[in-house]
Amino acid sequence: MAQAASQSQAVGFLYPGFSAEDDYPRLERILADAGAGVRLPLVHTDIGEDAHRADALLEMGSTKRLAAKVDEVKQQDVQAVVWACTSASFVFGWDGAHEQVRELSATAGLPASSTSFAFAHAVRALGVERVAIGATYPEDVGELFTAFLKAAGAEVVSMRGSGIITAAEVGTWGKEEVLALARGGDHPEAQAVLLPDTALHTAAWIPDIEEALGKPVLTANQVTAWEGLRLLERQVRCPALGRLFT
């Protein structure tokens, strides 16, 4: 579909709790400056316990918690919905994450996806095979993301966890912390670096991070917005959001 598609198009995002949700209006403004004319309304889900721990993440991404907010996001006149959370999607594994998205789509009656699949699709769209991960999570949770990407066909050459337990703490990080995370997660053999946490502010800094690393960088909120556009069959050129959008 052409970039000049209807201005009324919208993707709704179910976002867990409160941390970097302000990236979404920022992404909407950046895309508007690129001529996209798409709305990115966001609805907060109840996360339960804020913890990067498998049991807490399974509950955070449970069918009932997502379904509880579907009507609210549909009131925004959206044409697709995305579960804007990486850890509480890949924690279910490749098959379980597919089931999570199928159930979300059935409940909403709309095309649906999640941030984990956004990463898988974005890696494929970039045409890269070898990736490195700079994760905010503890190592054990980061390894679950590694397994998810391998199931998607990517080669993960390295994964570095940061041991951060709560999304609330991640949401306080500024540009220098994000740059340090990206540099620390990089690997000489990696063709792209992935920063998988929607609690991490990144939308304003992606070109700077890519310039610092000399390679494409995929961040959670960036790929989540891109995935929403993909569900709308929209292709938007927006260098301000990095190589994924060029």
Side-chain angles (χ1 to χ4, degrees), residues 54-76:
D55 61 330
L57 293 169
L58 288 167
E59 176 58 27
M60 187 186 301
S62 66
T63 298
K64 65 179 181 181
R65 287 188 184 272
L66 301 190
K69 293 293 184 174
V70 165
D71 284 346
E72 188 174 340
V73 78
K74 286 187 69 176
Q75 289 171 9
Q76 301 294 322

Side-chain angles (χ1 to χ4, degrees), residues 7-234:
Q7 294 273 324
S8 66
Q9 282 191 304
V11 182
F13 299 93
L14 298 176
Y15 185 91
F18 296 81
S19 42
E21 68 276 5
D22 50 325
D23 258 5
Y24 287 82
R26 185 174 292 113
L27 287 160
E28 185 176 307
R29 290 193 298 271
I30 293 170
L31 288 167
D33 289 343
V38 65
R39 292 182 297 110
L40 308 179
L42 178 148
V43 170
H44 298 274
T45 65
D46 176 17
I47 65 171
E49 182 182 0
D50 180 11
H52 288 141
R53 199 181 64 242
D55 61 330
L57 293 169
L58 288 167
E59 176 58 27
M60 187 186 301
S62 66
T63 298
K64 65 179 181 181
R65 287 188 184 272
L66 301 190
K69 293 293 184 174
V70 165
D71 284 346
E72 188 174 340
V73 78
K74 286 187 69 176
Q75 289 171 9
Q76 301 294 322
D77 190 24
V78 300
Q79 288 79 53
V81 60
V82 182
W83 169 224
C85 185
T86 327
S87 55
S89 47
F90 69 66
V91 72
F92 289 87
W94 182 252
D95 292 337
H98 273 95
E99 182 60 26
Q100 182 188 54
V101 166
R102 280 194 296 267
E103 291 180 354
L104 177 58
S105 179
T107 302
L110 295 168
S113 190
S114 70
T115 304
S116 291
F117 288 114
F119 273 109
H121 296 151
V123 167
R124 195 175 305 140
L126 282 176
V128 302
E129 296 177 352
R130 300 181 305 278
V131 303
I133 300 169
T136 55
Y137 323 125
E139 292 278 342
D140 62 329
V141 175
E143 290 297 345
L144 295 175
F145 186 50
T146 297
F148 184 91
L149 290 173
K150 287 180 177 177
E155 179 183 350
V156 180
V157 296
S158 68
M159 193 292 296
R160 179 175 177 178
S162 301
I164 306 299
I165 297 298
T166 69
E169 180 177 351
V170 174
T172 67
W173 286 15
K175 182 178 180 179
E176 291 309 311
E177 289 93 341
V178 176
L179 272 168
L181 178 69
R183 287 192 177 106
D186 194 10
H187 187 281
E189 296 180 9
Q191 297 168 296
V193 175
L194 280 52
L195 308 181
D197 194 341
T198 58
L200 192 69
H201 290 94
T202 61
W205 310 317
I206 295 166
D208 292 341
I209 302 170
E210 290 188 330
E211 183 178 1
L213 272 59
K215 63 185 67 174
V217 174
L218 298 177
T219 77
N221 292 325
Q222 168 214 34
V223 301
T224 302
W226 177 87
E227 180 76 348
L229 294 174
R230 191 188 69 82
L231 292 177
L232 296 181
E233 300 182 338
R234 298 286 299 276

